[in-house]
Amino acid sequence: MALKGLDIFKLTPKSNCKECGNPTCMAFAMKVAQGAVSLDKCPHMSADALAQLSEATAPPMKTIKIGASDEKSLGGETVLYRHEKTFVSRTLFSVAMTAANFDEKWEAIKGVDYDRISERMYVETLTLAYEGDQDAYVELVKKAAATGRTLILNCCCPTAARAALEVCAADKPVLNGCKADNIDAMCDLATEFGVVLGVFGADLEELYATVEALEAKGNKNLILNVSSASAKDAYAEAVQIRRAAIKGNDRTFGYPSIVNVAAIAPGDMHMQQALAAMFVIKYGSIIVMDTMTYAEALPLYGMRQNVFTDPQKPMTVEPKIYPLNGADATSPVVATVDFALTYFLVSAELERSGVPVNLMITDAGGYSVLTSWAAGKFSAGSITKFIKENGIEDAISCRKLIIPGKVAVLKGELEERLPEWEIITAPNEAVELVKFMKEL
């Protein structure tokens, strides 16, 4: 059970603390309890107390790192529902591959690589199935390792697993092949090569017992595979594992999960997409699919970004000029706010119009147009300041500035502050921009 502030106080020294300035360190203890400061900031903490408190205050779900050059974090979750606080480590997507279909699938995967709101959207991991031929598997692993993506080695044969790890261990893959009948061999391999070990179980009881056995051997660098027998079983196990860790504070199940929707609905990409969307929320850390094309990725990655964004911190785009439809210095300027939803709505309609235009995104604190105007973050002063400080007058010769119709009240003040500019009021709704821009 997580310690409270007073519990931490009992284990902190009574000497003067440089971090909090409180002779009793009470303020520091309360900050630790609230998660505002880490324990290692206290210079007076003994090693034993630090170890005890670190264990007690750690998230109920352990944070696992996979990959080397492209390191990703899994787990570390503290809540069941995003609105309670926030989800921490975003779900990763993976594609199941074999030696026979690797080249074909990799060509499709390469097409999924784009940026959305300053986040790269791509297939982060490749799941490689061992089919009984060790030499062929090693060659598959070599080919997959050359892509730079993190690998998941679906291999329950210790001999083949060792051969595969010898060519890719430096890239920190997941050795996904520990079962009740090969615990010792797989645990030793994972420890020797320093990689995360994926654990299987015929049911939750067997999975739990296998994890206990691995922990007894000192291995707590694990990821758990939920059932692939059916969508119902997978959902039930994923939820029970997360609930046991977070609500039951059972750290035996406090590890991330792999959900193989490719095995649950083989060949049915529509069902796999639906299941993947469900397990982004409930509670897949890695979701394995048959394929991933741009069309399949777009809705899933957009949903994932929404789910794994702090609900108290709105998504924003970088404040700057975005040239659209081949715009240059002679194209007019459209001003709006940095709220991501506003950006996507406005930019989509402007692109649909086909008219070259410079979309100017100002820093409005991530609020919508009316909200930021009411808060004083989107005003004639802020727009003028943005234009002056970012050299927009020097970069753009056109002196037409188009502002959102909902803040038409800013027109007069902008004309005073920017006398050389023609201030134009756009329609109230983004959907009207196509007709408006063509007529302009």
Side-chain angles (χ1 to χ4, degrees):
M1 182 179 295
L3 297 185
K4 298 179 180 180
L6 289 176
D7 297 319
I8 295 172
F9 169 67
K10 293 173 184 176
L11 291 172
T12 50
K14 304 303 184 288
S15 57
N16 185 37
C17 179
K18 297 177 183 178
E19 285 295 317
C20 64
N22 190 321
T24 63
C25 282
M26 184 56 153
F28 177 77
M30 295 308 297
K31 285 182 180 180
V32 172
Q34 295 164 6
V37 66
S38 61
L39 286 166
D40 57 9
K41 293 294 184 182
C42 178
H44 310 295
M45 185 77 70
S46 69
D48 290 341
L50 182 60
Q52 183 179 350
L53 287 170
S54 296
E55 176 69 20
T57 58
M61 177 173 287
K62 186 176 176 62
T63 299
I64 301 296
K65 304 283 188 179
I66 63 172
S69 58
D70 189 21
E71 185 180 77
K72 302 294 184 185
S73 295
L74 303 172
E77 305 296 346
T78 59
V79 295
L80 285 176
Y81 307 105
R82 162 183 190 271
H83 63 265
E84 292 180 86
K85 189 175 181 182
T86 184
F87 286 162
V88 177
S89 300
R90 65 179 182 175
T91 299
L92 305 183
F93 289 106
S94 188
V95 171
M97 312 175 87
T98 64
N101 61 31
F102 178 86
D103 292 333
E104 177 185 354
K105 290 191 176 184
W106 175 241
E107 285 304 312
I109 289 170
K110 287 192 293 185
V112 182
D113 198 339
Y114 60 96
D115 289 328
R116 183 179 189 270
I117 317 181
S118 303
E119 182 180 323
R120 183 186 176 199
M121 306 294 189
Y122 67 108
V123 178
E124 297 93 349
T125 73
L126 307 178
T127 298
L128 309 179
Y130 173 63
E131 299 179 304
D133 186 332
Q134 179 174 311
D135 293 336
Y137 192 59
V138 170
E139 290 305 311
L140 172 63
V141 171
K142 288 180 180 178
K143 187 183 292 187
T147 67
R149 306 297 169 91
T150 301
L151 306 184
I152 301 175
L153 307 178
N154 269 14
C155 178
C156 298
C157 171
T159 305
R162 172 176 289 278
L165 286 171
E166 286 174 349
V167 300
C168 72
D171 298 324
K172 299 300 179 185
V174 176
L175 175 56
N176 196 35
C178 182
K179 297 184 176 181
D181 59 358
N182 66 3
I183 293 175
D184 292 338
M186 283 299 182
C187 182
D188 292 344
L189 274 177
T191 302
E192 177 184 346
F193 287 96
V195 298
V196 173
L197 182 61
V199 187
F200 290 87
D203 50 37
L204 281 180
E205 288 75 15
E206 183 176 291
L207 182 63
Y208 192 91
T210 304
V211 173
E212 280 189 316
L214 289 167
E215 289 183 332
K217 292 174 68 65
N219 191 340
K220 294 187 177 182
N221 199 23
L222 310 174
I223 187 167
L224 313 183
N225 287 266
V226 304
S227 172
S228 59
S230 68
K232 178 182 177 182
D233 291 343
Y235 179 85
E237 290 194 7
V239 170
Q240 288 180 62
I241 288 171
R242 177 69 64 90
R243 182 171 288 276
I246 292 178
K247 291 298 184 182
N249 201 34
D250 188 341
R251 293 178 184 261
T252 302
F253 267 167
Y255 296 98
S257 298
I258 296 179
V259 184
N260 192 338
V261 300
I264 297 172
D268 188 342
M269 282 309 302
H270 295 297
M271 179 58 74
Q272 287 186 32
Q273 276 192 292
L275 291 174
M278 177 176 71
F279 284 112
V280 166
I281 303 172
K282 301 282 188 183
Y283 293 102
S285 298
I286 298 176
I287 296 176
V288 183
M289 304 181 69
D290 263 333
T291 64
M292 183 69 81
T293 64
Y294 183 83
E296 292 159 353
L298 194 60
L300 287 176
Y301 283 64
M303 174 189 172
R304 180 185 71 176
Q305 189 172 50
N306 290 336
V307 170
F308 284 89
T309 298
D310 189 333
Q312 298 181 7
K313 296 178 182 177
M315 288 188 291
T316 61
V317 294
E318 181 184 356
K320 66 176 185 179
I321 288 285
Y322 293 83
L324 304 178
N325 302 324
D328 56 24
T330 64
S331 305
V333 177
V334 174
T336 192
V337 296
D338 58 348
F339 180 43
L341 180 58
T342 298
Y343 166 79
F344 282 117
L345 289 173
V346 172
S347 63
E349 296 302 326
L350 290 175
E351 288 179 341
R352 199 159 64 90
S353 75
V355 178
V357 62
N358 292 297
L359 179 57
M360 183 177 77
I361 301 297
T362 64
D363 183 357
Y367 296 125
S368 63
V369 171
L370 280 179
T371 305
S372 59
W373 170 73
K377 294 181 177 292
F378 188 57
S379 63
S382 67
I383 293 173
T384 302
K385 181 180 179 182
F386 189 86
I387 290 174
K388 300 289 187 184
E389 292 184 350
N390 290 276
I392 292 173
E393 288 183 314
D394 296 330
I396 297 176
S397 59
C398 180
R399 289 297 181 261
K400 292 181 184 291
L401 176 62
I402 303 168
I403 62 173
K406 290 184 178 179
V407 289
V409 67
L410 300 179
K411 185 175 189 296
E413 190 177 349
L414 279 169
E415 288 173 338
E416 292 180 4
R417 291 174 178 265
L418 300 168
E420 297 181 359
W421 289 74
E422 178 187 357
I423 310 302
I424 303 170
T425 303
N428 285 344
E429 303 299 333
V431 71
E432 301 174 35
L433 282 173
V434 175
K435 181 174 182 291
F436 172 80
M437 292 303 299
K438 287 181 177 180
E439 291 176 350
L440 183 68

